[in-house]
Amino acid sequence: KRGTFKLVSFGESEIKQGIIDGGEVKDEAALSDAIKEAVLKVKGEKLRTKYVICSLPEEKAFLQVIQLPRMMDEELKKAIRFEAENYIPLPFEEVYLDSQRVKPVFDHLDHTDVLLAALPKKTISPYVNALKKAGLIPLALEVESQAISRAIIKQELSPSPVLIIDLGATRTGFIIFSGYSLRFTSSIPVSSQTFTESLAKNLNTSPDKAETLKRKYGLKTSEIIHLKKKPDSINFEKEFSEDKKVFDAMIAPVIDLIEQIKDRLNYYQSHTSHEHLSSRDKMSKGIVGKVILCGGGANLKELANVLSLELKIPVEMGNPWANILPEPLKEIPELPYYESLKYTTAIGLALRGFDQEI
């Protein structure tokens, strides 16, 4: 509207456990019903469009930046398909393959970088079927990490590598973005739900009560914390303050998350290829200088500070509106900032809807 974007509709519907497992759709009809429910219950204006931009599961995706000689577009398409056989571990007839040129930060190259994306057809087809059963028309599908990066990274350019951590309800995604492109993606089952389950088990309380305590205290505590203590050495019967009990009850998954992050950072930094950044950045090639949090689980109190302390890297909350709202705005009345974090993927997909190259 008047040259800028405006939020007119948003909503969500729970996808119950078992409908999707490990990125694979197990019940197309139930997924279709959840989509229908979300469409009908949107807040704001009623959805009048049937067209959809849809994200695909990170767990099943294969992404790789490859390098090819400079050539015309038609030649490049043929070369990509030929070269992709060296990287994709599945037969071509079993996958959908897509690619895009990676624009260099400084165009001084004697070659072309290309981002490959591939997913098994058997993974994608049920998502498409569920959308169609819900009366919708898919225009484009992309890996979730691409949508998240489009929303979070200002102008879709990062002069040096950044790690985006998408802490969701059932899984956590890791995305390393550098220059104009994704460079590395991974996901793990440690999630916001994992923290709740750990609380419920260790405090011997219900999941609903555990969720309430998690939201109230998070990792915030007035007492001195030593993350390295062994979780099995904690005595929950001691007369600790409630906030300390909550913290202690989540130590195991917190330590697990931190170790998983360190593993991904070490892997990326030991396997990274050149990324054509400025000469100053080349000196720190592959070194991730910042972590950005998003997803509904990112709202856990003090999580950013705990991660920053343990990783020794600045950690900040992401802004899903980075490429929509003028700075320094980070929220709008209809969708507060803490709520918008869980819509990061959807916002990135909506921005894709305005891309002329759908």
Side-chain angles (χ1 to χ4, degrees), residues 216-235:
K216 181 178 180 180
Y217 295 112
L219 302 178
K220 185 177 182 181
T221 176
S222 56
E223 301 188 37
I224 296 174
I225 299 303
H226 299 287
L227 271 185
K228 302 304 180 186
K229 70 164 64 178
K230 294 180 180 179
D232 57 6
S233 70
I234 300 168
N235 182 357

Side-chain angles (χ1 to χ4, degrees), residues 13 15 30-40 127 130-131 134 136:
S13 174
I15 297 176
L31 178 58
S32 180
D33 289 342
I35 294 170
K36 287 179 185 176
E37 181 184 350
V39 170
L40 289 173
Y127 285 94
L131 288 168
L136 302 173

Side-chain angles (χ1 to χ4, degrees), residues 93-315:
E93 61 271 17
E94 295 180 13
V95 301
Y96 288 113
L97 175 69
D98 201 1
S99 61
Q100 66 182 44
R101 287 179 184 262
V102 176
K103 185 168 64 172
V105 178
F106 297 96
D107 193 7
H108 57 276
L109 310 181
D110 59 357
H111 63 271
T112 300
D113 282 352
V114 175
L115 175 64
L116 289 179
L119 279 105
K121 291 180 179 179
K122 67 178 183 180
T123 297
I124 293 180
S125 294
Y127 285 94
V128 174
N129 293 340
L131 288 168
K132 289 181 176 178
K133 286 177 182 176
L136 302 173
I137 304 169
L139 280 184
L141 302 97
E142 67 179 11
V143 179
E144 187 176 13
S145 53
Q146 292 176 290
I148 291 171
S149 300
R150 187 181 300 108
I152 289 285
I153 303 295
K154 184 72 173 176
Q155 297 178 338
E156 296 183 63
L157 169 63
S158 178
S160 58
V162 298
L163 170 64
I164 302 171
I165 300 178
D166 175 33
L167 190 60
T170 59
R171 49 171 285 279
T172 293
F174 300 118
I175 306 161
I176 293 181
F177 190 97
S178 185
Y180 287 98
S181 177
L182 301 173
R183 300 289 172 173
F184 172 85
T185 65
S186 178
S187 66
I188 60 172
V190 177
S191 64
S192 180
Q193 184 176 308
T194 307
F195 293 144
T196 304
E197 291 171 353
S198 181
L199 264 175
K201 178 182 177 181
N202 287 316
L203 298 184
N204 194 25
T205 188
S206 69
D208 288 345
K209 174 65 173 177
E211 183 67 26
T212 299
L213 290 170
K214 184 183 75 173
R215 290 173 183 266
K216 181 178 180 180
Y217 295 112
L219 302 178
K220 185 177 182 181
T221 176
S222 56
E223 301 188 37
I224 296 174
I225 299 303
H226 299 287
L227 271 185
K228 302 304 180 186
K229 70 164 64 178
K230 294 180 180 179
D232 57 6
S233 70
I234 300 168
N235 182 357
F236 290 99
E237 301 302 320
K238 288 184 179 180
E239 293 298 320
F240 287 143
S241 60
E242 191 170 53
D243 60 352
K244 181 65 163 57
K245 287 181 180 179
V246 169
F247 185 99
D248 285 347
M250 290 193 289
I251 280 183
V254 168
I255 291 176
D256 188 10
L257 177 63
I258 290 168
E259 292 305 313
Q260 298 270 16
I261 295 170
K262 288 179 178 178
D263 286 347
R264 269 63 182 183
L265 289 173
N266 289 336
Y267 177 85
Y268 172 74
Q269 288 166 183
S270 62
H271 288 76
T272 185
S273 60
H274 64 297
E275 295 175 0
H276 321 310
L277 307 177
S278 68
S279 57
R280 182 183 65 183
D281 289 320
K282 283 180 181 177
M283 293 173 64
S284 58
K285 167 183 146 185
I287 303 300
V288 173
K290 181 170 68 174
V291 175
I292 302 175
L293 300 180
C294 67
N299 287 306
L300 189 68
K301 291 178 181 177
E302 293 300 311
L303 175 62
N305 288 336
V306 169
L307 292 181
S308 181
L309 185 66
E310 291 294 314
L311 300 173
K312 297 177 174 56
I313 302 174
V315 178

